Amino acid sequence: MPEICIGLKRHPDSFAKGAEVGDRLEADICVGRSTMLTLGPQPFVAEFSICPSGVPITLTPAFKNSSGGAAMTTKAHWETVYQTKKVDEVSWYRPHLETSLRLIEHAAPGTDSAVIDVGGGEATLVDDLVALGYADVTVLDISPAAIDVAKGRLGASGASVHWITGDITTVELEAARYHVWHDRAVFHFLTSADDRAAYMRQVARAVRLGGHVIVATFGLGGPEKCSGLDVVRYDAENLHGEFGPKFRLLENVTELHETPWGTPQEFLYCFCRVE
Ligand SMILES: C[S@@+](CC[C@H](N)C(=O)[O-])C[C@H]1O[C@@H](n2cnc3c(N)ncnc32)[C@H](O)[C@@H]1O
């Protein structure tokens, strides 16, 4: 990973003395555009190339390393997203996750089924599940900010919801706890084979025999990036292939999601049963 230089426009003195995590800095980026950056946990979080001007400083981003840096960096990325954007200002927003709801209701007609929404973010899926009477819903996300928004929105009606803040590749999940595993637009961020293998170990451990798995990623016609991060796009065969024969494929769904600003994005849902 190359070093990144940025030109500070504000508070260069204080930065020279050492910036704190969470400090906001104004910097010249790329073609001289000015933007606000937020310092995440060390090292610095950035996803774009930056042209030096003003007082150049050097920050070393460490996306993906073997010593836990990846989790910190991923977390800081998503914290920044959720701290700076409103719920409907992100590309993946839709008022209701209709396809997810349909598949979950198909998988778990009984509302006593345990459902986990992996990387649930601020999505309204949990609200809709609670409104339908699901009594054992878990929302897991790497971003505490996103969890806070969802929790705050639900208020007292979310009293029965289990909230977990953690990285799905490393968090400890109870064995055979869930009847339904749902993930919309999280698995596709796992661009390393190691992370995908870790994710699959989690699904295999946490979902009980006879339970169902619903995973939605960008399809081959979808974007190459989401939230500025690289994603892996799948066709139906490759996505199901990641799970292996223990997961019997029940249905594939292709959905054209429209972002809040009207751009179509192809999503692919893989719906399977653990056997
Ligand atoms: C594109 S958003 C999708 C949010 C939600 N599933 C939806 O459909 O509206 C991806 C979500 O996954 C979360 N996330 C990303 N990487 C994660 C990881 N390794 N473990 C847990 N959550 C993660 C992000 O914080 C974010 O909320």
Side-chain angles (χ1 to χ4, degrees):
M1 177 62 68
E3 291 183 333
I4 291 176
C5 295
I6 68 172
L8 285 179
K9 294 187 75 179
R10 190 179 286 170
H11 308 314
D13 293 345
S14 63
F15 192 83
K17 287 186 204 131
E20 300 275 337
V21 167
D23 276 358
R24 297 200 36 100
L25 309 169
E26 191 176 351
D28 278 345
I29 297 186
C30 296
V31 287
R33 227 166 10 99
S34 215
T35 193
M36 297 300 293
L37 304 175
T38 302
L39 271 192
Q42 293 296 328
F44 186 71
V45 180
E47 67 194 41
F48 26 63
S49 58
I50 299 171
C51 305
S53 77
V55 182
I57 61 160
T58 302
L59 302 159
T60 309
F63 290 95
K64 304 295 168 196
N65 62 33
S66 55
S67 57
M72 290 299 285
T73 305
T74 303
K75 179 176 174 182
H77 171 87
W78 290 105
E79 276 296 90
T80 304
V81 168
Y82 286 117
Q83 284 168 0
T84 55
K85 289 179 194 276
K86 297 203 183 88
V87 63
D88 58 353
E89 287 177 351
V90 292
S91 59
W92 53 92
Y93 171 76
R94 52 194 298 127
H96 300 279
L97 304 189
E98 302 88 349
T99 303
S100 302
L101 278 169
R102 177 178 73 76
L103 294 174
I104 292 171
E105 285 191 271
H106 183 77
T111 51
D112 53 350
S113 298
V115 181
I116 182 167
D117 187 14
V118 174
E122 297 176 349
T124 57
L125 183 67
V126 56
D127 310 49
D128 290 335
L129 290 173
V130 168
L132 285 167
Y134 282 89
D136 187 358
V137 179
T138 300
V139 179
L140 180 150
D141 204 279
I142 201 166
S143 162
I147 294 278
D148 284 351
V149 168
K151 207 192 266 188
R153 190 181 59 222
L154 273 153
S157 63
S160 68
V161 176
H162 308 282
W163 305 95
I164 302 177
T165 302
D167 182 331
I168 191 53
T169 62
T170 54
V171 72
E172 196 165 322
L173 296 174
E174 202 181 315
R177 164 83 172 81
Y178 301 104
H179 296 90
V180 181
W181 175 287
H182 172 267
D183 159 354
R184 175 175 179 266
V186 185
F187 180 68
H188 67 190
F189 288 110
L190 304 182
T191 54
S192 89
D194 284 353
D195 283 348
R196 287 194 295 275
Y199 181 103
M200 289 305 161
R201 281 194 296 276
Q202 298 277 46
V203 186
R205 175 181 156 78
V207 182
R208 59 180 62 192
L209 216 60
H212 292 79
V213 176
I214 300 157
V215 172
T217 65
F218 282 160
L220 290 186
E224 292 175 2
K225 284 180 183 278
C226 178
S227 186
L229 302 177
D230 288 338
V231 299
V232 181
R233 297 175 298 171
Y234 293 91
D235 63 17
E237 196 182 334
N238 290 341
L239 184 52
H240 180 245
E242 291 283 335
F243 289 88
K246 201 174 160 241
F247 296 80
R248 178 187 288 273
L249 182 64
L250 301 181
E251 191 181 340
N252 287 305
V253 181
T254 301
E255 180 180 71
L256 219 50
H257 164 65
E258 195 169 291
T259 67
W261 42 95
T263 307
Q265 295 184 331
E266 185 188 296
F267 273 79
L268 174 70
Y269 286 74
C270 175
F271 177 43
C272 41
R273 184 171 55 232
V274 183
E275 300 195 328

